Amino acid sequence: MKKIVVLGATGSIGQSARKVARDIPEHLQIVGLSAHANADELAVAAREFPAAKTALSSGPDGAQRLIELATLPEADMVLIAIVGTAGLKPALAAIEAGKDIAVASKEILVMAGEIVMAAAARQGVKVLPVDSEHNAIFQCLDGRGSRHVQRLILTCSGGPFRQTPREELPGVTPEMALKHPTWSMGRKITIDSATLFNKGLEMIEARWLFDVPMEKVDVTIHPQSIIHSMVEFVDGSVLAQLSHSDMCFPIQYAVTWPERVANSLRPLDFAALGKLEFEAPRREDFPALDLARRAGETGGTLPAVLNAANEVAVQAFLDHRIPFPKIWETVARVMDESPFVAHPGLDELLEADRLARELAAK
Ligand code: NDP
Ligand code: MG
């Protein structure tokens, strides 16, 4: 029986985590739940798990309440399912308190992957990937280290504009971008999936989680979202992980690892699937991938800058203040204009994040 705290319990990942806990109650107990402002949904979650402690993170002492939940003595593991970088400090607090962390919030690994992984190694705790691609890679690696890896191949649905001609991209509205072809997710990540910044963030996330250089992280478009990612080993063999596109699969594996636990999730029917397709990403039309590769290769404060500028630009697009391609332009410009620190500590990363948000807003 694992006892877990769910930070961001009211979001898309949070709701799937609650579903997993209801599905396998003999293996998983939720002992803590947080929301930011959605008190009604937090109350629903609290009724599902009456023994769990709860916290609302908006409000004056919100940050402190999150840390208290993240370090609850009875918890074995903390699932970070907060959108954006607000989960970073609670994640570090959980690690310092000796808890394993299951990370959905890719933004915290993009911003501070080196610091999070180093802290986890120092404390001897596990960082379990929830993002479906990284969970797939984790399953394929099955404990093998990076010296066995030739290439990590992240699959990408291509988003709703996979086949949209470049000249039509300026006409894309938030309503169009919020319709993802294969996954149902929160608003921020759905826009990231349309720009391909989601895959860009995941490239950097993979670099830290699996300790491989950026040049070994590759992306292939796979419109059906059935293969969640693959590992090509040095001997040329490739392993893949497959399932329906339902986040309950990776969430369950992260929280029950190293066990495999029977559940009520729908199995694949290959005859019904028919075919799985692959194609190369349109790098020129969707510059997010190359911007992320550059940020990941350069390292230092640049990934934090990319991430912060992207968050601001996505919000501006959702608010109908900028056109769709301006998200890429904003991130590229903020990356060019931000000061660079090669080996930043946490304070320098937070400062780079703050400054990048200011520049992006401008
Ligand atoms: P949602 O927007 O659906 O949910 C976000 C959650 O975070 C909510 O519980 C929200 O509370 C809470 N929250 C929002 N802002 C803050 C804040 N400033 N401080 C503390 N809590 C906050 O997002 P998703 O569930 O889609 O995504 C969560 C994370 O998981 C993201 O980092 C995303 O990239 C990642 N992820 C998501 C996937 C998915 O399928 N959805 C797949 C892979 C990764 P409230 O409801 O009160 O606003
Ligand atoms: Mg993903």
Side-chain angles (χ1 to χ4, degrees), residues 192 195-202 288 291 306 310 327-328 331:
D192 285 345
T195 58
L196 299 201
F197 266 118
N198 181 50
K199 211 52 51 182
L201 298 177
E202 289 178 355
L291 288 170
L306 171 144
N310 180 53
I327 301 176
W328 298 311
V331 174

Side-chain angles (χ1 to χ4, degrees), residues 82-135:
I82 289 173
V83 61
T85 49
L88 178 58
K89 285 184 174 168
L92 290 171
I95 291 171
E96 291 310 323
K99 321 267 184 216
D100 291 339
I101 59 172
V103 183
S105 311
K106 60 195 79 191
E107 296 92 343
I108 74 174
L109 287 175
V110 171
M111 180 182 178
E114 191 167 13
I115 288 174
V116 170
M117 298 308 287
R122 207 169 49 236
Q123 289 295 109
V125 302
K126 290 264 173 318
V127 178
L128 295 144
V130 169
D131 207 345
S132 57
E133 293 74 7
H134 308 78
N135 193 270

